[in-house]
Amino acid sequence: ADHAEKAIDIFCQFFICPLFTASGTSREVQAVNSENSKNLSNDSRRRLQILKSVGDPNHEYTKFSTGCAKTLKGGDDNVREALLTFHRYHYRPEAMVVVLVGPQSLDQLKEWAIPRFDGLKNRWLEQECYEGVEKIIVESGSSAKQKEVLHNPAFHPKVQNDKWPVLITSLPLRDMRKLVLLFPLPPVLDRPDDSPTKLLSHLLGHEGRGSCFAALQNEGLITALCTGSRISDQNQCLFQVDISLTCKGEEHWERVVNIIFDYCRLLQDQTTKAAAAKHDKKPHHINALQHLQNLWDEMARMSQIDFHNASPGPAYNLATSLARAVTRDGIQKCRSAGYMLNETTHTLPLLSIMEYAQLLNPQNVIVERCSRSAWEQITKIHEQKLTQNQNDIFGLKKEKWYGVQY
C-alpha cells in the first residue's frame, strides 16, 4: 500500500505508451512457449484440446488459445506488427474498465487514477474496410466486442454429420476415472439471476435422498458428481455433468449414463406437468409447479444470504472479478448479479427451464470417458477394424497441437 501510487503510475504506462520492443516481443514469445510446454503434461489441458477438436473448426472457441513459438513465429516482425495493431484496436478508453482496490480513501484512489489514465488516447482509425493485419485483428475481435447474445454454439451435431451422441475416449497421464456428459444449450450470460441452468444444476447436482448422486453412490458406482456450465459466453452455454467413477463404476459406465438420463427424463416430465398446471389445474400438475416454485424460492433465499454475508476477499481477486463484472453486468449490478436478489417463488422461469430440460437428451450430448481402462477398451475395438480413412469423422484421432490421441 505504501507504494501504490508509484505502482499505478507504472501500470498505466503500459496502456498509454508501451514499448513493445522487438527484443521484448521475442522474449515474451519464448515465455508463452514455455507456458505451453508446461501444459502438454496437464490432463485438464489435454482434455480441453481434445474437446475443442470435436467442435466447429470455424468457431472462435475451438481456436488454439494459448499459442506457442510455432503459431507466434518466434516473435518475428510480422508478429510484432500484429501485436501493435492488436493493442491499438483493443486498448481504447471506451473499452476500458479500471478497478483499484486499496486501503486508501475513494478520493485518494481517484486522485491517483484519473489524471494518469486520462493520458490514454484512442489511436485506432476507423475505416470502411481494412487490409492485412488490421483486417485479421478487426475480424477476430468482433466477437469480443459483441454485446448482443446470439445462439451460435461451438458444438452441434452438424459437425459430425448429425451422428450424435458422440463418445470421446482418451488416455490420462495420471490415474483417473472420469465420465463427463456435455450438453450444448442456448446462452444464459445475459440472465445471471434467472438462468434456467441454475435450477437444473441444483437438481442434477443434489446429493440428498432421491438424487442421482445418492442412487449411484449407493450402488458403489461413483465417488463424486458435479454439475454446472462448462462454457458460458455470449453465444453458447455448454452444460456438464462431471462424474468421478469407482472401479465398479468404470466397468458399468453405461449404467451410470442411463441413470443420469433417467433423471433428465424425470426433470422433463415434471417441468412439462408444471407448465400444464397454468391451464388445466390438475392436482399432480399443480403439485409439480409448487415443488419447482418452492425449490426456486429456496435457492434464491440461500443465494441472498450468501450475498449479504460475503466478504470482499483478497484485493487482487476482487479487482479482477469486479473489472469483469462491470464489463458484463454494468455498474449497478456488478456486485449483485448472480445472487438472485429479486427472485421469489413467483419469478420462476418455468418455460425456459422446461425448454432447457428438453435439451438434456441423448441426441444432444457429448460423452467423455478418460481413464486407462476406457482407453484399453477403445483401442481393442480400433485394432479389430481392418482400415480407417483419415477423413472419417469417428475412429482413432490425434489432436493437432498437443499430439494427444483420442
Side-chain angles (χ1 to χ4, degrees):
D2 295 339
H3 305 287
E5 183 177 11
K6 183 177 180 181
I8 293 170
D9 187 57
I10 294 171
F11 178 67
C12 74
Q13 296 308 312
F14 171 80
F15 305 98
I16 297 170
C17 54
L19 296 177
F20 287 141
T21 61
S23 61
T25 303
S26 179
R27 289 195 300 274
E28 184 59 28
V29 168
Q30 294 307 313
V32 169
N33 193 61
S34 296
E35 184 80 8
N36 178 67
S37 298
K38 174 181 68 67
N39 292 338
L40 296 178
S41 58
N42 183 304
D43 277 320
S44 295
R45 287 283 186 177
R46 291 159 67 90
R47 291 169 60 202
L48 173 61
Q49 286 303 130
I50 292 172
L51 177 62
K52 288 186 174 188
S53 68
V54 301
D56 188 339
N58 298 316
H59 197 284
E60 63 268 16
Y61 179 80
T62 61
K63 292 179 179 178
F64 180 44
S65 55
T66 56
C68 61
K70 180 180 178 180
T71 62
L72 296 172
K73 300 179 180 179
D76 63 13
D77 291 341
N78 291 330
V79 170
R80 184 168 180 269
E81 180 188 354
L83 181 65
L84 294 169
T85 305
F86 184 94
H87 187 274
R88 285 201 312 276
Y89 180 70
H90 286 285
Y91 289 76
R92 295 186 264 177
E94 64 268 26
M96 191 175 198
V97 172
V98 179
V99 175
L100 297 181
V101 178
Q104 297 82 5
S105 67
L106 292 178
D107 290 338
Q108 181 66 78
L109 292 172
K110 286 169 62 178
E111 183 182 327
W112 288 346
I114 293 176
R116 289 174 169 83
F117 284 98
D118 190 51
L120 181 62
K121 306 299 180 185
N122 186 350
R123 295 187 294 273
W124 181 261
L125 298 177
E126 295 288 353
Q127 303 175 39
E128 291 187 5
C129 60
Y130 300 90
E131 296 181 356
V133 173
E134 288 188 344
K135 182 180 180 180
I136 296 172
I137 297 297
V138 171
E139 289 178 351
S140 64
S142 59
S143 61
K145 296 180 179 297
Q146 174 188 323
K147 297 299 181 183
E148 185 180 0
V149 174
L150 300 171
H151 189 198
N152 177 31
F155 306 94
H156 52 85
K158 288 184 179 179
V159 180
Q160 283 78 32
N161 293 339
D162 292 317
K163 295 179 180 178
W164 275 31
V166 171
L167 173 63
I168 302 173
T169 309
S170 62
L171 175 67
L173 296 179
R174 65 182 181 86
D175 190 31
M176 67 168 69
R177 293 180 295 273
K178 278 290 184 182
L179 175 65
V180 184
L181 279 67
L182 298 158
F183 300 92
L185 302 177
V188 294
L189 192 66
D190 61 336
R191 47 192 310 181
D193 291 310
D194 69 339
S195 166
T197 59
K198 282 182 177 288
L199 185 59
L200 296 176
S201 179
H202 175 76
L203 290 170
L204 277 164
H206 189 54
E207 297 183 358
R209 188 177 63 180
S211 66
C212 280
F213 176 83
L216 292 166
Q217 190 183 54
N218 288 343
E219 290 191 27
L221 300 175
I222 71 170
T223 58
L225 186 153
C226 302
T227 60
S229 296
R230 170 74 175 266
I231 307 169
S232 184
D233 57 31
Q234 289 98 331
N235 50 34
Q236 65 178 328
C237 171
L238 189 64
F239 186 81
Q240 76 172 5
V241 180
D242 188 306
I243 303 166
S244 296
L245 299 170
T246 62
C247 292
K248 180 181 177 182
E250 182 68 52
E251 185 179 349
H252 301 283
W253 69 274
E254 290 178 329
R255 173 159 175 75
V256 177
V257 172
N258 287 332
I259 289 176
I260 296 295
F261 277 117
D262 284 343
Y263 195 85
C264 289
R265 282 187 282 272
L266 177 64
L267 291 177
Q268 293 160 8
D269 178 65
Q270 290 301 303
T271 53
T272 301
K273 288 179 179 177
K278 295 188 175 182
H279 306 290
D280 58 26
K281 307 298 182 183
K282 292 180 179 179
H284 60 289
H285 290 176
I286 293 174
N287 288 339
L289 175 60
Q290 290 177 343
H291 181 60
L292 291 176
Q293 287 178 329
N294 291 337
L295 280 172
W296 187 256
D297 185 62
E298 178 185 307
M299 288 171 56
R301 289 174 182 271
M302 293 301 296
S303 187
Q304 291 159 18
I305 291 173
D306 288 342
F307 175 77
H308 292 299
N309 291 277
S311 61
Y316 179 82
N317 295 338
L318 178 60
T320 53
S321 64
L322 265 180
R324 286 193 296 268
V326 170
T327 303
R328 183 182 64 244
D329 306 308
I331 294 290
Q332 297 299 323
K333 294 185 177 181
C334 63
R335 292 292 284 152
S336 63
Y339 282 100
M340 305 175 72
L341 297 189
N342 298 313
E343 299 300 312
T344 66
T345 303
H346 305 292
T347 61
L348 172 72
L350 179 57
L351 293 181
S352 294
I353 292 171
M354 182 176 68
E355 174 193 347
Y356 279 61
Q358 294 297 327
L359 293 171
L360 304 180
N361 66 72
Q363 286 71 47
N364 186 50
V365 69
I366 297 172
V367 179
E368 179 200 2
R369 295 183 69 199
C370 184
S371 68
R372 297 188 185 280
S373 60
W375 183 251
E376 289 172 1
Q377 291 172 17
I378 208 70
T379 49
K380 284 181 181 178
I381 294 173
H382 176 73
E383 288 169 358
Q384 292 171 2
K385 293 183 178 181
L386 298 177
T387 60
Q388 178 187 328
N389 191 319
Q390 290 299 314
N391 295 322
D392 287 348
I393 296 173
F394 300 100
L396 188 63
K397 302 285 184 180
K398 180 178 287 188
E399 191 278 326
K400 179 179 179 181
W401 298 107
Y402 280 40
V404 186
Q405 285 190 317
Y406 64 96

